[in-house]
Amino acid sequence: MDSRDLKLAKEVWRKLHHTPELSGQETKTKEILKDYLTNYTTLSVVETPDYLYTVYEEKDCEQPQLTICLRADMDAIPDGEGGVFHGCGHDGHSAALFLTALCLERLRQKCKKIGKRVILLWQQAEETGEGARLACPVLLKESVSEIYGCHNIPGYPLGEVLLCKQVFACASKGLILDLHGKQSHAAYPEQGINPGYLIAEIVNKLPIWCEDHKKGLTMASIIEMKVGSENFGISAGNGRLCLTLRAHYQEDLEMLTEAILAYARQQAETSGITMEVSETDAFPDTVNDTALTEKLEQLCIDHALPYTYLPVPMRWSEDFGWYQKKCRGVFFGIGAGEKTPGLHTESYCYPEALLEKAGMIWETIIMH
């Protein structure tokens, strides 16, 4: 790896790190990436409101070329105090992919052929599950046959490739139930319809419903419960229950959703409660192609890249699964250091030293 390229990638990382933007608002982030790509490479750059990508292709090829895509995300997250920070390392992901663009540029300048087309894709809004879904048209437009993505993962040795056969990350969604009963005087609760009791019943049944699905992990996390207000003379007439549902497999997630809604609707109708249902932050399951996972493992072996298989899939979700529903794909982790603070914690920061190792992994994939 060229030391000048690495120095430039670190420069990009620092600029991105100090320009964090929330999902769907990554205007300055895209400007930084586009400026560096146009100033330091001759790759074709395509920009849309939702993503940015480059195209590397070789001329005078006698045979049709395989097209692969490498993907990075770019959005930041709230810091809990009204600010925004790169608490998931997407600044590092984007900078590492820029380093790969510099690698492709050097190949072009040296007239060294790799026998394939390479799409480098920077997408927005991974944190909300929307970015990959909006960027999926790139796969069809550019005839992508294989797509690769990765995420830094603290707690593992720096640069170690973390593989998972089949499911890498969970499917998940936010489920919101708004319940409307009838307010009454607190001294006469029987004259009203308090939705708090139905909310309590649903919450108590969550562990049972989760246990009913045995294909893989299935769980429900209580995010918010709200009934009435702090007024001790009133028995509440309105309530809200917000849950995050997640499962290794999409089918289990949908079965859990249906179990909750079927019970809630039946009990609401019996009790005289009207219910409004909404879903948000939907992520598909991230399921790896077996052959591509084995191919990546062999690359690690052949090129002395440290790797390990994760014992279980990650509980968090990753919108990369939208791509995998369109073409063959593999998602893997890269160890961010055994002592690096956890993702989304206030003290987390993408390790600068990881840029070179991530760049080497991407380079290995595009070269072989």
Side-chain angles (χ1 to χ4, degrees):
M1 180 175 295
D2 189 279
S3 60
R4 293 168 296 179
D5 292 349
L6 182 58
K7 181 179 179 181
L8 200 56
K10 289 181 178 180
E11 182 181 309
V12 169
W13 171 71
R14 293 188 190 101
K15 285 194 176 184
L16 295 177
H17 186 73
H18 293 294
T19 316
E21 296 174 300
L22 294 176
S23 300
Q25 302 175 23
E26 304 96 323
T27 305
K28 294 179 181 178
T29 300
K30 283 201 299 181
E31 288 178 0
I32 292 170
L33 290 167
K34 184 178 179 181
D35 285 346
Y36 274 87
L37 287 165
T38 54
N39 288 331
Y40 292 98
T41 81
T42 58
L43 302 179
S44 301
V45 179
V46 180
E47 183 181 11
T48 79
D50 304 306
Y51 52 85
L52 175 77
Y53 72 92
T54 62
V55 180
Y56 168 87
E57 52 191 345
E58 298 167 346
K59 298 180 180 179
D60 303 323
C61 293
E62 297 180 357
Q63 300 295 329
Q65 293 180 311
L66 172 75
T67 300
I68 69 169
C69 178
L70 312 185
R71 168 272 204 178
D73 37 25
M74 62 173 78
D75 49 337
I77 62 174
D79 64 6
E81 298 179 356
V84 183
F85 80 124
H86 270 295
C88 206
H90 297 182
D91 51 343
H93 298 168
S94 283
L97 200 61
F98 170 70
L99 181 57
T100 309
L102 296 178
C103 172
L104 289 169
E105 179 62 23
R106 291 210 176 273
L107 291 175
R108 174 172 285 179
Q109 297 304 325
K110 295 176 181 179
C111 296
K112 185 175 181 179
K113 296 186 181 295
I114 58 175
K116 65 184 74 168
R117 295 176 74 243
V118 181
I119 308 298
L120 304 181
L121 171 62
W122 289 265
Q123 66 153 85
Q124 299 179 203
E126 186 283 325
E127 293 290 342
T128 62
E130 283 293 300
R133 186 177 63 82
L134 295 173
C136 275
V138 174
L139 304 183
L140 179 60
K141 179 182 178 181
E142 298 295 343
S143 302
V144 173
S145 298
E146 302 172 3
I147 185 166
Y148 297 82
C150 70
H151 205 292
N152 77 97
I153 302 180
Y156 291 87
L158 192 74
E160 183 175 51
V161 177
L162 309 173
L163 302 175
C164 220
K165 290 184 177 179
Q166 293 296 303
V167 179
F168 187 95
C170 286
S172 67
K173 67 170 72 173
L175 181 65
I176 304 171
L177 306 182
D178 285 303
L179 305 170
H180 307 287
K182 180 182 177 183
Q183 180 179 303
S184 68
H185 195 292
Y188 301 95
E190 70 277 7
Q191 295 179 2
I193 304 173
N194 191 326
Y197 299 104
L198 176 53
I199 290 175
E201 291 173 8
I202 294 171
V203 168
N204 284 333
K205 288 184 176 293
L206 289 176
I208 299 173
W209 288 324
C210 289
E211 284 295 321
D212 284 344
H213 307 290
K214 302 296 185 180
K215 187 174 180 180
L217 173 74
T218 306
M219 60 185 293
S221 300
I222 301 167
I223 305 304
E224 179 185 18
M225 288 192 298
K226 181 175 176 59
V227 180
S229 61
E230 193 173 317
N231 189 319
F232 298 95
I234 295 176
S235 178
N238 294 309
R240 166 175 270 212
L241 175 62
C242 299
L243 304 170
T244 296
L245 311 182
R246 68 182 66 247
H248 283 169
Y249 297 94
Q250 191 75 38
E251 59 192 85
D252 278 350
L253 181 69
E254 300 310 324
M255 289 174 64
L256 175 61
T257 303
E258 185 52 38
I260 293 170
L261 293 181
Y263 179 84
R265 288 187 176 116
Q266 180 184 29
Q267 296 302 312
E269 183 178 357
T270 301
S271 304
I273 293 172
T274 58
M275 182 175 72
E276 298 169 3
V277 179
S278 58
E279 296 183 1
T280 187
D281 289 12
F283 290 79
D285 47 358
T286 300
V287 184
N288 286 335
D289 180 86
T290 300
L292 287 184
T293 304
E294 293 173 349
K295 175 183 175 181
L296 183 54
E297 179 184 13
Q298 192 60 50
L299 286 177
C300 291
I301 294 171
D302 293 344
H303 299 279
L305 298 174
Y307 78 96
T308 189
Y309 273 92
L310 296 174
V312 294
M314 289 293 171
R315 286 191 182 184
W316 41 255
S317 297
E318 164 58 60
D319 73 353
F320 190 83
W322 292 120
Y323 300 122
Q324 292 171 315
K325 294 185 183 302
K326 302 293 183 180
C327 80
R328 299 169 64 216
V330 61
F331 193 84
F332 59 96
I334 303 179
E338 294 167 289
K339 295 184 179 180
T340 298
L343 300 173
H344 289 212
T345 63
E346 60 182 12
S347 54
Y348 169 84
C349 179
Y350 184 94
E352 185 177 290
L354 185 55
L355 277 174
E356 181 176 10
K357 294 182 179 295
M360 289 176 62
I361 295 167
W362 283 139
E363 184 176 345
T364 301
I365 290 173
I366 64 175
M367 293 292 292
H368 302 92

